[in-house]
Amino acid sequence: MKEKGILTVVSGFSGSGKGTLMKELLARYPDRYALSISATTRMPRQGEADGREYFFVSRDEFEKMIAKGELIEYAKYVENYYGTPRGYVEKMLDEGRDVILEIEIQGALNVKKLFPDTLLLFVTPPNAGELKKRLVGRGTESMEVIESRMNRACEEAQGMECYDYLIINDRLDECVEKMHDIIRGEHLRSSRNREFIEEIRKDLERLKGEE
């Protein structure tokens, strides 16, 4: 019986290191995981390729995808749509790959409603001081932007208990293995193995009848 993949949604504060974490997970286990590729109506930037960074579609195509229920979730940012194509995710899951989708809390909870088997992981630094230090350490944003990210983190923290697991991102190497172990362990959950349970029950009944 071929093992089906698990849809894993990863969220976390800006500056928690979730992007680095997922990149490293995929680099270590390329045959095990697939990163969900979003569809977008924005134009490709230099160096971006269709089907690699994003699926680039027209506004008309995107709205047809919404109408046909072909997106797991979608949102509109700065006049452009972004969404997760259902077909790509289901294909990867059927091939036995664990699909990782990085979205914010509201989107994550919407995905969980549609797909109750979704595994929700929340990435956080060990403390608030470390979060601010990482944001400042990037050296790419003004203090005003950093303050707005810290305010946003306060709001996001209200939804942390909605997630199945918290990943405290302190040491990257340990954290990657922790995330891998959680996802692998999730494959053994009895609720994800109903087919196997039914098969072994039938076999036990059959063998009992042969006695």
Side-chain angles (χ1 to χ4, degrees):
M1 184 176 68
K2 188 170 170 57
E3 188 177 58
K4 199 178 175 190
I6 291 173
L7 177 59
T8 302
V9 171
V10 178
S11 306
F13 307 125
S14 176
S16 63
K18 58 188 180 296
T20 307
L21 187 56
M22 289 187 294
K23 210 175 280 181
E24 185 60 29
L25 186 71
L26 268 82
R28 285 190 200 182
Y29 305 101
D31 299 329
R32 180 72 257 170
Y33 299 103
L35 195 61
S36 173
I37 301 171
S38 296
T40 182
T41 56
R42 80 158 169 78
M43 296 300 289
R45 291 181 187 137
Q46 193 173 354
E48 288 182 336
D50 183 54
R52 190 179 65 200
E53 281 78 18
Y54 288 96
F55 295 113
F56 295 100
V57 299
S58 69
R59 179 176 290 266
D60 189 46
E61 284 175 299
F62 198 100
E63 286 172 352
K64 280 180 184 163
M65 289 170 83
I66 295 171
K68 290 179 184 171
E70 292 174 358
L71 295 165
I72 288 174
E73 55 81 40
Y74 69 93
K76 198 176 184 183
Y77 299 107
V78 200
E79 297 309 303
N80 284 308
Y81 283 117
Y82 294 81
T84 305
R86 186 188 293 257
Y88 175 80
V89 169
E90 288 179 345
K91 180 177 179 286
M92 292 290 112
L93 293 174
D94 287 342
E95 287 175 7
R97 304 280 285 278
D98 293 322
V99 178
I100 298 179
L101 171 59
E102 183 196 337
I103 47 175
E104 43 70 49
I105 288 184
Q106 205 50 54
L109 298 182
N110 288 339
V111 171
K112 184 85 170 177
K113 272 183 208 163
L114 284 171
F115 299 91
D117 277 350
T118 301
L119 175 63
L120 299 185
L121 305 180
F122 193 91
V123 179
T124 174
N127 55 62
E130 177 62 23
L131 179 65
K132 188 160 189 178
K133 185 177 150 192
R134 288 180 192 179
L135 288 169
V136 172
R138 283 175 174 178
T140 55
E141 292 159 344
S142 66
M143 283 311 292
E144 193 182 356
V145 171
I146 288 166
E147 284 309 316
S148 77
R149 293 201 186 281
M150 290 298 290
N151 290 338
R152 174 79 179 135
C154 289
E155 292 168 18
E156 289 172 331
Q158 300 307 310
M160 288 169 77
E161 66 271 24
C162 299
Y163 284 72
D164 298 306
Y165 294 92
L166 286 181
I167 308 258
I168 297 168
N169 188 10
D170 194 0
R171 295 181 181 86
L172 179 67
D173 195 56
E174 287 175 19
C175 208
V176 170
E177 290 309 314
K178 202 182 292 175
M179 188 182 271
H180 177 62
D181 289 345
I182 287 168
I183 298 169
R184 295 306 306 141
E186 198 64 20
H187 278 270
L188 304 175
R189 194 181 283 270
S190 57
S191 61
R192 294 184 189 276
N193 290 278
R194 292 187 187 98
E195 205 178 316
F196 174 81
I197 291 168
E198 283 308 308
E199 274 181 27
I200 203 159
R201 277 177 181 157
K202 281 177 191 166
D203 276 354
L204 286 165
E205 289 297 328
R206 182 177 54 78
L207 289 173
K208 187 178 75 172
E210 287 174 5
E211 285 171 11

